[in-house]
Amino acid sequence: MTDFGQRLIQAAQEAVAIARGEAEAGSYVLHRPLVIDMRAIREALGLTQDAFAARYRVPLETVRNLEQGRAQPDPTMQAYLTVISREPEIVRRVLETA
């Protein structure tokens, strides 16, 4: 077996140990993806999908795909949606004057 194959098997065994709770605490780092709830952001702003897409210059199809779970936001979209969720009026004003 190649070195790569052995490392792959070892990684899989370590993942199983972590999932079962058998790994020693502190011996691994758990990375959780940032969860962005597109619908919650849009609804908190009281906007329809069309209005959100127009105001924040996001393609309507992207809004629909994110809300229906057909797509996940890439890191750039995650950052943009985070800013919109925290400072929606600033983003709106900046885009209106751009």
Side-chain angles (χ1 to χ4, degrees):
M1 179 178 299
T2 66
D3 180 54
F4 174 74
Q6 290 173 347
R7 288 183 300 153
L8 191 59
I9 290 171
Q10 180 182 354
Q13 290 169 340
E14 290 172 4
V16 169
I18 291 168
R20 290 182 177 164
E22 299 167 354
E24 184 177 326
S27 67
Y28 61 91
V29 176
L30 180 62
H31 297 276
R32 294 182 186 179
L34 179 62
V35 176
I36 301 290
D37 188 340
M38 177 75 205
R39 179 170 295 162
I41 293 169
R42 179 182 60 75
E43 288 178 347
L45 297 171
L47 298 172
T48 64
Q49 289 180 339
D50 289 330
F52 184 93
R55 177 177 290 178
Y56 295 109
R57 300 183 187 175
V58 176
L60 180 57
E61 190 65 22
T62 299
V63 173
R64 289 178 177 157
N65 286 338
L66 291 173
E67 285 194 12
Q68 295 176 11
R70 291 190 301 254
Q72 294 298 315
D74 64 18
T76 302
M77 182 59 81
Q78 287 178 354
Y80 187 46
L81 292 172
T82 299
V83 173
I84 291 171
S85 71
R86 294 182 184 168
E87 298 293 343
E89 289 307 308
I90 291 173
V91 176
R92 182 189 58 78
R93 284 195 318 267
V94 168
L95 291 175
E96 283 179 352
T97 60

Coordinates of all heavy atoms in Angstrom, one line a residue:
M1 N 0.8 -1.2 0.0 CA 0.0 0.0 0.0 C 0.9 1.2 0.0 O 1.9 1.3 0.6 CB -0.9 0.0 1.2 CG -1.8 1.2 1.3 SD -2.9 1.2 2.7 CE -3.9 -0.2 2.4
T2 N 0.4 2.3 -0.7 CA 1.2 3.5 -0.8 C 1.1 4.3 0.6 O 0.2 4.0 1.4 CB 0.7 4.4 -1.9 OG1 -0.7 4.8 -1.5 CG2 0.7 3.7 -3.2
D3 N 2.0 5.2 0.7 CA 2.0 6.0 1.9 C 0.7 6.8 2.0 O 0.1 7.0 3.1 CB 3.2 7.0 1.9 CG 3.3 7.9 3.1 OD1 3.3 7.4 4.2 OD2 3.3 9.1 2.9
F4 N 0.3 7.3 0.8 CA -1.0 8.1 0.8 C -2.1 7.2 1.3 O -3.0 7.6 2.1 CB -1.3 8.6 -0.6 CG -2.6 9.3 -0.7 CD1 -2.8 10.5 -0.2 CD2 -3.7 8.6 -1.4 CE1 -4.1 11.1 -0.3 CE2 -4.9 9.2 -1.4 CZ -5.1 10.5 -0.9
G5 N -2.2 6.0 0.8 CA -3.3 5.1 1.2 C -3.2 4.8 2.7 O -4.3 4.8 3.4
Q6 N -2.1 4.6 3.3 CA -1.9 4.4 4.7 C -2.4 5.6 5.5 O -3.1 5.5 6.5 CB -0.5 4.1 5.1 CG -0.1 2.7 4.6 CD 1.4 2.4 4.8 OE1 2.2 3.3 5.1 NE2 1.8 1.2 4.6
R7 N -2.0 6.8 5.1 CA -2.4 8.0 5.7 C -4.0 8.2 5.6 O -4.6 8.7 6.6 CB -1.7 9.3 5.2 CG -0.2 9.3 5.6 CD 0.5 10.5 5.1 NE 0.4 10.5 3.7 CZ 0.5 11.6 2.9 NH1 0.6 12.8 3.5 NH2 0.4 11.5 1.6
L8 N -4.5 7.9 4.5 CA -6.0 8.0 4.3 C -6.7 7.1 5.3 O -7.7 7.5 5.9 CB -6.3 7.7 2.9 CG -7.7 8.0 2.4 CD1 -8.0 9.5 2.6 CD2 -7.9 7.6 0.9
I9 N -6.2 5.8 5.4 CA -6.9 4.9 6.3 C -6.7 5.4 7.8 O -7.7 5.3 8.6 CB -6.3 3.5 6.2 CG1 -6.7 2.9 4.8 CG2 -6.7 2.6 7.3 CD1 -6.0 1.6 4.4
Q10 N -5.6 5.9 8.1 CA -5.3 6.4 9.5 C -6.3 7.6 9.7 O -6.9 7.7 10.8 CB -3.9 6.9 9.7 CG -3.6 7.4 11.0 CD -2.2 7.9 11.2 OE1 -1.4 7.7 10.3 NE2 -1.9 8.5 12.4
A11 N -6.4 8.5 8.8 CA -7.3 9.6 8.9 C -8.8 9.2 9.1 O -9.5 9.7 10.0 CB -7.2 10.6 7.7
A12 N -9.2 8.2 8.4 CA -10.5 7.7 8.5 C -10.8 7.0 9.9 O -11.8 7.2 10.5 CB -10.8 6.6 7.4
Q13 N -9.8 6.3 10.4 CA -9.9 5.7 11.7 C -9.9 6.8 12.8 O -10.7 6.7 13.8 CB -8.7 4.8 12.0 CG -8.7 3.5 11.1 CD -7.4 2.7 11.2 OE1 -6.4 3.2 11.5 NE2 -7.5 1.4 10.8
E14 N -9.2 7.9 12.6 CA -9.2 9.0 13.6 C -10.6 9.7 13.5 O -11.1 10.0 14.6 CB -8.1 10.0 13.3 CG -6.7 9.4 13.6 CD -5.6 10.4 13.1 OE1 -5.9 11.5 12.6 OE2 -4.4 10.0 13.2
A15 N -11.1 9.8 12.4 CA -12.4 10.5 12.2 C -13.5 9.6 12.9 O -14.4 10.2 13.6 CB -12.8 10.7 10.8
V16 N -13.4 8.3 12.8 CA -14.4 7.4 13.5 C -14.3 7.6 15.0 O -15.3 7.6 15.7 CB -14.2 6.0 13.0 CG1 -15.0 5.0 13.9 CG2 -14.6 5.8 11.5
A17 N -13.0 7.6 15.5 CA -12.8 7.7 16.9 C -13.4 9.1 17.4 O -14.0 9.1 18.5 CB -11.3 7.6 17.2
I18 N -13.2 10.1 16.7 CA -13.7 11.4 17.1 C -15.3 11.4 17.1 O -15.9 11.8 18.1 CB -13.2 12.5 16.1 CG1 -11.7 12.8 16.3 CG2 -14.0 13.8 16.3 CD1 -11.1 13.6 15.3
A19 N -15.9 10.8 16.1 CA -17.3 10.7 16.0 C -17.9 9.9 17.1 O -19.0 10.2 17.6 CB -17.7 10.1 14.6
R20 N -17.2 8.9 17.5 CA -17.7 8.0 18.6 C -17.4 8.6 20.0 O -17.8 8.0 21.0 CB -17.0 6.6 18.5 CG -17.5 5.8 17.3 CD -16.8 4.5 17.3 NE -17.4 3.7 16.2 CZ -16.8 2.6 15.8 NH1 -15.6 2.2 16.3 NH2 -17.3 1.9 14.8
G21 N -16.6 9.7 20.0 CA -16.3 10.3 21.3 C -15.1 9.6 22.0 O -14.9 9.7 23.2
E22 N -14.3 8.8 21.2 CA -13.2 8.0 21.8 C -11.9 8.7 21.7 O -10.9 8.3 22.3 CB -13.1 6.7 21.0 CG -14.4 5.8 21.2 CD -14.4 4.7 20.2 OE1 -13.5 4.6 19.3 OE2 -15.4 3.8 20.3
A23 N -11.8 9.8 21.0 CA -10.6 10.5 20.8 C -10.3 11.4 22.0 O -11.2 11.9 22.7 CB -10.6 11.4 19.6
E24 N -9.1 11.6 22.4 CA -8.7 12.4 23.5 C -9.0 13.8 23.2 O -8.7 14.4 22.2 CB -7.2 12.2 23.8 CG -6.7 12.9 25.0 CD -5.2 12.7 25.3 OE1 -4.7 11.6 25.0 OE2 -4.6 13.6 25.8
A25 N -9.7 14.5 24.2 CA -10.0 15.9 24.1 C -8.7 16.7 23.8 O -7.7 16.4 24.5 CB -10.7 16.4 25.3
G26 N -8.8 17.6 22.9 CA -7.6 18.5 22.6 C -6.7 17.9 21.6 O -5.7 18.5 21.2
S27 N -7.0 16.6 21.2 CA -6.1 16.0 20.1 C -6.6 16.3 18.7 O -6.0 15.9 17.8 CB -6.1 14.5 20.3 OG -7.3 13.9 20.1
Y28 N -7.7 17.1 18.6 CA -8.2 17.4 17.3 C -8.9 18.8 17.4 O -9.3 19.2 18.5 CB -9.2 16.4 16.8 CG -10.4 16.1 17.7 CD1 -11.6 16.9 17.5 CD2 -10.3 15.3 18.8 CE1 -12.6 16.7 18.3 CE2 -11.4 15.1 19.6 CZ -12.6 15.8 19.4 OH -13.6 15.6 20.2
V29 N -9.2 19.4 16.3 CA -9.9 20.6 16.2 C -11.1 20.4 15.3 O -11.0 19.8 14.2 CB -9.0 21.7 15.6 CG1 -9.8 23.0 15.4 CG2 -7.8 22.0 16.4
L30 N -12.3 20.8 15.8 CA -13.5 20.6 15.1 C -13.8 22.0 14.4 O -13.9 23.0 15.1 CB -14.6 20.2 16.0 CG -16.0 20.0 15.4 CD1 -16.0 18.9 14.4 CD2 -17.0 19.7 16.5
H31 N -14.0 21.9 13.1 CA -14.3 23.1 12.3 C -15.8 23.0 11.9 O -16.2 22.1 11.3 CB -13.5 23.2 11.1 CG -12.0 23.4 11.4 ND1 -11.4 24.6 11.7 CD2 -11.0 22.5 11.5 CE1 -10.2 24.5 11.9 NE2 -9.9 23.2 11.8
R32 N -16.5 24.0 12.3 CA -18.0 24.1 12.0 C -18.1 25.1 10.9 O -17.7 26.3 11.1 CB -18.8 24.4 13.2 CG -18.8 23.3 14.2 CD -19.7 23.7 15.4 NE -19.5 22.7 16.4 CZ -20.1 22.7 17.5 NH1 -20.9 23.6 17.8 NH2 -19.8 21.7 18.4
P33 N -18.8 24.8 9.8 CA -19.0 25.8 8.8 C -20.0 26.9 9.3 O -20.9 26.6 10.1 CB -19.6 25.0 7.6 CG -20.2 23.8 8.2 CD -19.4 23.5 9.5
L34 N -19.8 28.1 8.8 CA -20.6 29.2 9.2 C -22.0 28.9 8.5 O -22.1 28.7 7.3 CB -20.0 30.5 8.7 CG -20.8 31.8 8.9 CD1 -21.0 32.1 10.4 CD2 -20.1 33.0 8.2
V35 N -23.0 29.0 9.3 CA -24.4 28.7 8.8 C -25.0 30.1 8.6 O -25.2 30.9 9.5 CB -25.2 27.9 9.8 CG1 -26.6 27.7 9.3 CG2 -24.6 26.6 10.0
I36 N -25.4 30.3 7.3 CA -26.1 31.5 6.9 C -27.5 31.2 6.6 O -27.8 30.4 5.7 CB -25.4 32.2 5.7 CG1 -23.9 32.5 6.0 CG2 -26.2 33.4 5.3 CD1 -23.7 33.7 7.0
D37 N -28.5 31.8 7.2 CA -29.9 31.5 6.9 C -30.4 32.7 6.1 O -30.9 33.7 6.6 CB -30.7 31.4 8.2 CG -32.1 30.9 8.0 OD1 -32.6 31.1 6.8 OD2 -32.7 30.5 8.9
M38 N -30.3 32.5 4.8 CA -30.7 33.5 3.8 C -32.2 34.0 4.0 O -32.4 35.2 4.0 CB -30.5 32.9 2.4 CG -31.0 33.8 1.3 SD -29.7 35.1 1.0 CE -30.7 36.3 0.3
R39 N -33.0 33.0 4.2 CA -34.5 33.4 4.4 C -34.7 34.2 5.6 O -35.4 35.2 5.6 CB -35.3 32.1 4.4 CG -36.8 32.4 4.7 CD -37.7 31.2 4.5 NE -37.5 30.8 3.1 CZ -37.9 29.7 2.6 NH1 -38.4 28.7 3.4 NH2 -37.7 29.4 1.3
A40 N -34.0 33.8 6.7 CA -34.2 34.6 8.0 C -33.7 36.0 7.8 O -34.3 37.0 8.4 CB -33.4 33.9 9.1
I41 N -32.6 36.2 7.1 CA -32.0 37.6 6.9 C -33.0 38.4 6.1 O -33.4 39.5 6.5 CB -30.7 37.5 6.2 CG1 -29.6 36.9 7.1 CG2 -30.2 38.9 5.7 CD1 -28.3 36.5 6.4
R42 N -33.5 37.8 5.0 CA -34.5 38.5 4.1 C -35.8 38.8 4.9 O -36.3 39.9 4.8 CB -34.8 37.6 2.9 CG -35.7 38.3 2.0 CD -36.0 37.4 0.8 NE -36.6 36.1 1.1 CZ -37.9 35.9 1.5 NH1 -38.7 36.9 1.7 NH2 -38.3 34.6 1.8
E43 N -36.3 37.8 5.6 CA -37.6 38.1 6.3 C -37.4 39.1 7.4 O -38.3 39.8 7.7 CB -38.1 36.7 6.8 CG -38.6 35.9 5.7 CD -39.2 34.5 6.2 OE1 -38.9 34.1 7.4 OE2 -39.8 33.8 5.4
A44 N -36.3 39.1 8.1 CA -36.0 40.1 9.2 C -36.1 41.5 8.6 O -36.4 42.4 9.3 CB -34.7 39.8 9.9
L45 N -35.7 41.6 7.3 CA -35.7 42.9 6.7 C -37.1 43.2 6.1 O -37.3 44.3 5.5 CB -34.6 43.0 5.6 CG -33.2 42.8 6.1 CD1 -32.3 42.7 4.9 CD2 -32.8 44.0 6.9
G46 N -38.0 42.3 6.1 CA -39.3 42.5 5.6 C -39.4 42.6 4.1 O -40.2 43.3 3.5
L47 N -38.5 41.9 3.4 CA -38.4 42.0 2.0 C -38.8 40.7 1.3 O -38.6 39.6 1.8 CB -36.9 42.3 1.5 CG -36.3 43.6 2.0 CD1 -34.9 43.7 1.7 CD2 -37.1 44.8 1.4
T48 N -39.4 40.8 0.1 CA -39.6 39.6 -0.7 C -38.3 39.2 -1.4 O -37.3 40.0 -1.3 CB -40.6 40.0 -1.9 OG1 -40.0 41.0 -2.7 CG2 -41.9 40.5 -1.3
Q49 N -38.3 38.1 -2.0 CA -37.1 37.6 -2.7 C -36.7 38.6 -3.7 O -35.5 39.0 -3.9 CB -37.3 36.2 -3.3 CG -37.3 35.1 -2.2 CD -37.5 33.7 -2.9 OE1 -38.0 33.6 -4.0 NE2 -37.2 32.7 -2.1
D50 N -37.7 39.1 -4.5 CA -37.4 40.0 -5.6 C -36.8 41.3 -5.0 O -35.9 41.9 -5.6 CB -38.7 40.3 -6.4 CG -39.2 39.2 -7.2 OD1 -38.3 38.4 -7.7 OD2 -40.4 39.1 -7.5
A51 N -37.4 41.8 -3.9 CA -37.0 43.1 -3.4 C -35.6 43.0 -2.8 O -34.7 43.8 -3.0 CB -37.9 43.6 -2.3
F52 N -35.3 41.8 -2.1 CA -34.0 41.6 -1.6 C -32.9 41.6 -2.7 O -31.9 42.2 -2.6 CB -33.9 40.3 -0.7 CG -32.6 40.1 -0.1 CD1 -32.4 40.5 1.2 CD2 -31.6 39.4 -0.7 CE1 -31.2 40.3 1.9 CE2 -30.3 39.2 -0.1 CZ -30.2 39.6 1.2
A53 N -33.2 40.8 -3.7 CA -32.3 40.6 -4.8 C -32.0 42.0 -5.5 O -30.9 42.3 -5.8 CB -32.9 39.7 -5.9
A54 N -33.0 42.8 -5.7 CA -32.9 44.1 -6.3 C -32.1 45.1 -5.4 O -31.1 45.7 -5.8 CB -34.2 44.7 -6.6
R55 N -32.5 45.1 -4.1 CA -31.8 46.1 -3.2 C -30.3 45.8 -3.0 O -29.5 46.7 -2.9 CB -32.5 46.1 -1.8 CG -31.8 47.0 -0.8 CD -32.5 47.1 0.5 NE -33.8 47.8 0.3 CZ -34.7 48.0 1.3 NH1 -34.4 47.5 2.5 NH2 -35.8 48.6 1.0
Y56 N -30.0 44.5 -2.8 CA -28.6 44.1 -2.5 C -27.8 43.5 -3.7 O -26.7 43.0 -3.5 CB -28.6 43.2 -1.3 CG -29.2 43.8 -0.1 CD1 -30.4 43.5 0.4 CD2 -28.5 44.9 0.5 CE1 -30.9 44.2 1.6 CE2 -29.0 45.5 1.6 CZ -30.2 45.2 2.1 OH -30.7 45.8 3.2
R57 N -28.4 43.6 -4.9 CA -27.8 43.3 -6.1 C -27.3 41.8 -6.1 O -26.1 41.5 -6.4 CB -26.6 44.2 -6.4 CG -27.1 45.6 -6.6 CD -26.0 46.5 -7.0 NE -26.5 47.9 -7.0 CZ -25.7 49.0 -7.2 NH1 -24.4 48.8 -7.5 NH2 -26.2 50.2 -7.2
V58 N -28.1 41.0 -5.6 CA -27.9 39.5 -5.6 C -28.8 38.9 -6.6 O -30.0 39.2 -6.6 CB -28.2 38.9 -4.2 CG1 -28.0 37.4 -4.2 CG2 -27.3 39.5 -3.2
P59 N -28.3 38.1 -7.6 CA -29.2 37.5 -8.5 C -30.4 36.8 -7.8 O -30.2 36.0 -6.9 CB -28.3 36.5 -9.3 CG -26.9 37.1 -9.1 CD -26.9 37.7 -7.7
L60 N -31.6 37.0 -8.4 CA -32.8 36.4 -7.8 C -32.6 34.8 -7.7 O -33.0 34.2 -6.7 CB -34.0 36.7 -8.6 CG -35.3 36.2 -8.1 CD1 -35.6 36.6 -6.7 CD2 -36.5 36.6 -9.1
E61 N -32.1 34.2 -8.7 CA -31.9 32.8 -8.7 C -31.0 32.4 -7.6 O -31.2 31.3 -6.9 CB -31.3 32.3 -10.1 CG -31.3 30.8 -10.2 CD -32.7 30.2 -10.3 OE1 -33.7 30.9 -10.6 OE2 -32.8 29.0 -10.0
T62 N -30.0 33.2 -7.2 CA -29.1 32.9 -6.1 C -29.9 32.9 -4.8 O -29.7 32.0 -3.9 CB -27.9 33.9 -6.1 OG1 -27.1 33.7 -7.3 CG2 -27.0 33.6 -4.9
V63 N -30.7 34.0 -4.6 CA -31.5 34.1 -3.4 C -32.4 32.8 -3.3 O -32.4 32.2 -2.2 CB -32.4 35.3 -3.5 CG1 -33.4 35.3 -2.3 CG2 -31.5 36.6 -3.5
R64 N -33.0 32.4 -4.4 CA -33.9 31.3 -4.3 C -33.1 30.0 -4.0 O -33.6 29.2 -3.2 CB -34.7 31.1 -5.6 CG -35.7 32.2 -5.8 CD -36.4 32.0 -7.2 NE -37.4 33.0 -7.3 CZ -37.9 33.5 -8.4 NH1 -37.5 33.0 -9.6 NH2 -38.9 34.4 -8.4
N65 N -32.0 29.8 -4.7 CA -31.2 28.6 -4.4 C -30.7 28.5 -3.0 O -30.7 27.4 -2.4 CB -30.0 28.5 -5.4 CG -30.5 28.2 -6.8 OD1 -31.5 27.6 -7.0 ND2 -29.7 28.5 -7.8
L66 N -30.3 29.6 -2.5 CA -29.8 29.6 -1.1 C -30.9 29.3 -0.1 O -30.7 28.5 0.8 CB -29.1 30.9 -0.7 CG -27.8 31.2 -1.5 CD1 -27.3 32.7 -1.2 CD2 -26.7 30.2 -1.0
E67 N -32.0 29.9 -0.3 CA -33.2 29.7 0.6 C -33.7 28.3 0.5 O -34.1 27.8 1.5 CB -34.3 30.7 0.3 CG -34.0 32.1 0.7 CD -35.2 33.0 0.7 OE1 -36.4 32.5 0.6 OE2 -35.0 34.2 0.9
Q68 N -33.7 27.7 -0.6 CA -34.2 26.3 -0.8 C -33.2 25.3 -0.6 O -33.5 24.1 -0.7 CB -34.9 26.2 -2.1 CG -36.1 27.2 -2.2 CD -36.8 27.2 -3.6 OE1 -36.5 26.3 -4.4 NE2 -37.7 28.1 -3.8
G69 N -32.0 25.6 -0.2 CA -30.9 24.7 0.1 C -30.3 24.0 -1.1 O -29.6 23.0 -1.0
R70 N -30.6 24.5 -2.3 CA -30.0 23.9 -3.5 C -28.5 24.4 -3.7 O -27.8 23.8 -4.5 CB -30.8 24.3 -4.7 CG -32.2 23.7 -4.8 CD -32.8 23.9 -6.1 NE -33.0 25.3 -6.4 CZ -34.2 25.9 -6.4 NH1 -35.3 25.3 -6.0 NH2 -34.3 27.2 -6.7
A71 N -28.1 25.4 -2.9 CA -26.8 25.9 -3.0 C -26.4 26.4 -1.6 O -27.2 26.7 -0.8 CB -26.7 27.1 -4.0
Q72 N -25.1 26.4 -1.4 CA -24.5 27.0 -0.2 C -23.7 28.2 -0.5 O -23.0 28.2 -1.6 CB -23.6 25.9 0.5 CG -24.3 24.7 1.0 CD -25.3 25.1 2.1 OE1 -25.1 25.8 3.0 NE2 -26.5 24.5 1.9
P73 N -23.7 29.2 0.3 CA -23.0 30.4 -0.1 C -21.5 30.2 0.0 O -21.0 29.6 1.0 CB -23.4 31.5 1.0 CG -23.9 30.7 2.1 CD -24.5 29.4 1.5
D74 N -20.7 30.7 -1.0 CA -19.3 30.6 -0.9 C -18.8 31.6 0.2 O -19.6 32.4 0.7 CB -18.7 30.9 -2.3 CG -18.9 32.3 -2.8 OD1 -19.2 33.2 -2.1 OD2 -18.8 32.5 -4.0
P75 N -17.5 31.7 0.5 CA -17.0 32.6 1.6 C -17.3 34.0 1.3 O -17.7 34.8 2.2 CB -15.5 32.3 1.6 CG -15.4 30.9 1.2 CD -16.5 30.7 0.1
T76 N -17.3 34.5 0.1 CA -17.6 35.9 -0.3 C -19.0 36.2 0.0 O -19.3 37.2 0.6 CB -17.2 36.2 -1.7 OG1 -15.8 35.9 -1.9 CG2 -17.5 37.6 -2.1
M77 N -19.9 35.3 -0.4 CA -21.3 35.5 -0.2 C -21.7 35.4 1.3 O -22.5 36.2 1.8 CB -22.2 34.5 -1.0 CG -23.7 34.7 -0.8 SD -24.3 36.3 -1.3 CE -24.4 36.1 -3.1
Q78 N -21.0 34.5 2.0 CA -21.2 34.4 3.5 C -20.8 35.8 4.1 O -21.6 36.3 5.0 CB -20.3 33.3 4.1 CG -20.8 31.9 3.8 CD -19.8 30.9 4.3 OE1 -18.8 31.2 4.9 NE2 -20.2 29.6 4.2
A79 N -19.7 36.3 3.7 CA -19.3 37.6 4.3 C -20.3 38.7 4.0 O -20.7 39.5 4.8 CB -17.9 38.0 3.8
Y80 N -20.7 38.8 2.7 CA -21.7 39.8 2.3 C -23.0 39.7 3.0 O -23.5 40.7 3.5 CB -21.9 39.7 0.8 CG -22.8 40.8 0.1 CD1 -22.5 42.1 0.4 CD2 -23.8 40.4 -0.7 CE1 -23.3 43.1 -0.1 CE2 -24.6 41.4 -1.3 CZ -24.3 42.7 -1.0 OH -25.1 43.7 -1.6
L81 N -23.5 38.5 3.2 CA -24.8 38.2 3.9 C -24.6 38.6 5.4 O -25.6 39.1 6.0 CB -25.3 36.8 3.7 CG -25.7 36.5 2.3 CD1 -26.0 35.0 2.1 CD2 -26.9 37.3 1.9
T82 N -23.5 38.3 5.9 CA -23.2 38.7 7.3 C -23.3 40.2 7.5 O -23.9 40.7 8.4 CB -21.9 38.1 7.8 OG1 -21.9 36.7 7.7 CG2 -21.6 38.5 9.2
V83 N -22.7 40.9 6.6 CA -22.7 42.4 6.6 C -24.1 42.9 6.5 O -24.6 43.8 7.2 CB -21.7 43.0 5.6 CG1 -21.9 44.5 5.6 CG2 -20.3 42.7 5.9
I84 N -24.8 42.3 5.5 CA -26.2 42.7 5.3 C -27.1 42.5 6.6 O -27.9 43.3 7.0 CB -26.9 42.0 4.1 CG1 -26.2 42.5 2.8 CG2 -28.4 42.2 4.1 CD1 -26.6 41.7 1.6
S85 N -26.9 41.3 7.2 CA -27.7 41.0 8.4 C -27.4 41.9 9.5 O -28.2 42.2 10.4 CB -27.4 39.5 8.8 OG -26.1 39.4 9.3
R86 N -26.1 42.5 9.6 CA -25.7 43.3 10.7 C -25.9 44.8 10.4 O -26.2 45.6 11.4 CB -24.3 43.0 11.1 CG -24.1 41.7 11.7 CD -22.7 41.4 12.1 NE -22.6 40.0 12.6 CZ -21.5 39.4 12.8 NH1 -20.4 40.0 12.7 NH2 -21.5 38.1 13.2
E87 N -25.7 45.2 9.2 CA -25.8 46.6 8.8 C -26.6 46.8 7.5 O -26.0 47.3 6.5 CB -24.4 47.2 8.7 CG -23.6 47.2 10.0 CD -24.2 48.1 11.1 OE1 -25.0 49.0 10.8 OE2 -23.8 47.9 12.3
P88 N -27.8 46.4 7.5 CA -28.5 46.4 6.2 C -28.7 47.8 5.6 O -28.6 48.0 4.4 CB -29.9 45.8 6.5 CG -30.1 46.0 8.0 CD -28.7 45.9 8.5
E89 N -28.9 48.8 6.4 CA -29.1 50.2 5.9 C -27.8 50.8 5.3 O -27.8 51.5 4.3 CB -29.7 51.1 7.0 CG -31.2 50.7 7.3 CD -32.0 50.7 6.0 OE1 -32.0 51.7 5.2 OE2 -32.7 49.7 5.8
I90 N -26.7 50.5 5.9 CA -25.4 51.0 5.4 C -25.2 50.4 4.0 O -24.8 51.1 3.1 CB -24.3 50.7 6.4 CG1 -24.4 51.5 7.6 CG2 -22.9 50.9 5.7 CD1 -23.4 51.2 8.7
V91 N -25.4 49.1 3.9 CA -25.2 48.4 2.6 C -26.2 49.0 1.6 O -25.7 49.3 0.5 CB -25.4 46.9 2.7 CG1 -25.3 46.2 1.4 CG2 -24.4 46.3 3.7
R92 N -27.4 49.2 2.0 CA -28.4 49.8 1.0 C -27.9 51.1 0.6 O -27.9 51.4 -0.6 CB -29.7 49.9 1.7 CG -30.8 50.4 0.8 CD -32.1 50.7 1.5 NE -32.0 51.7 2.6 CZ -31.8 53.0 2.5 NH1 -31.9 53.5 1.3 NH2 -31.7 53.8 3.6
R93 N -27.5 52.0 1.5 CA -27.1 53.4 1.1 C -25.8 53.3 0.2 O -25.8 54.1 -0.7 CB -26.8 54.2 2.4 CG -28.1 54.7 3.1 CD -27.8 55.8 4.1 NE -26.6 55.6 4.9 CZ -26.6 55.0 6.1 NH1 -27.7 54.5 6.6 NH2 -25.5 54.9 6.8
V94 N -24.9 52.5 0.6 CA -23.7 52.4 -0.2 C -24.0 52.0 -1.7 O -23.5 52.6 -2.6 CB -22.6 51.5 0.4 CG1 -21.5 51.1 -0.6 CG2 -22.1 52.1 1.7
L95 N -24.9 51.0 -1.8 CA -25.2 50.5 -3.1 C -26.1 51.5 -3.9 O -26.0 51.6 -5.1 CB -26.0 49.2 -3.0 CG -25.1 48.0 -2.6 CD1 -25.9 46.8 -2.4 CD2 -23.9 47.7 -3.5
E96 N -26.9 52.3 -3.2 CA -27.7 53.3 -3.9 C -26.8 54.4 -4.5 O -27.1 55.0 -5.5 CB -28.7 53.9 -3.0 CG -29.9 53.0 -2.7 CD -30.9 53.7 -1.7 OE1 -30.6 54.7 -1.1 OE2 -32.0 53.1 -1.6
T97 N -25.7 54.7 -3.8 CA -24.8 55.8 -4.3 C -23.7 55.3 -5.2 O -23.0 56.1 -5.8 CB -24.2 56.6 -3.1 OG1 -23.4 55.6 -2.4 CG2 -25.3 57.2 -2.3
A98 N -23.6 54.0 -5.4 CA -22.5 53.4 -6.2 C -22.9 53.5 -7.7 O -24.0 53.4 -8.1 CB -22.2 52.0 -5.8

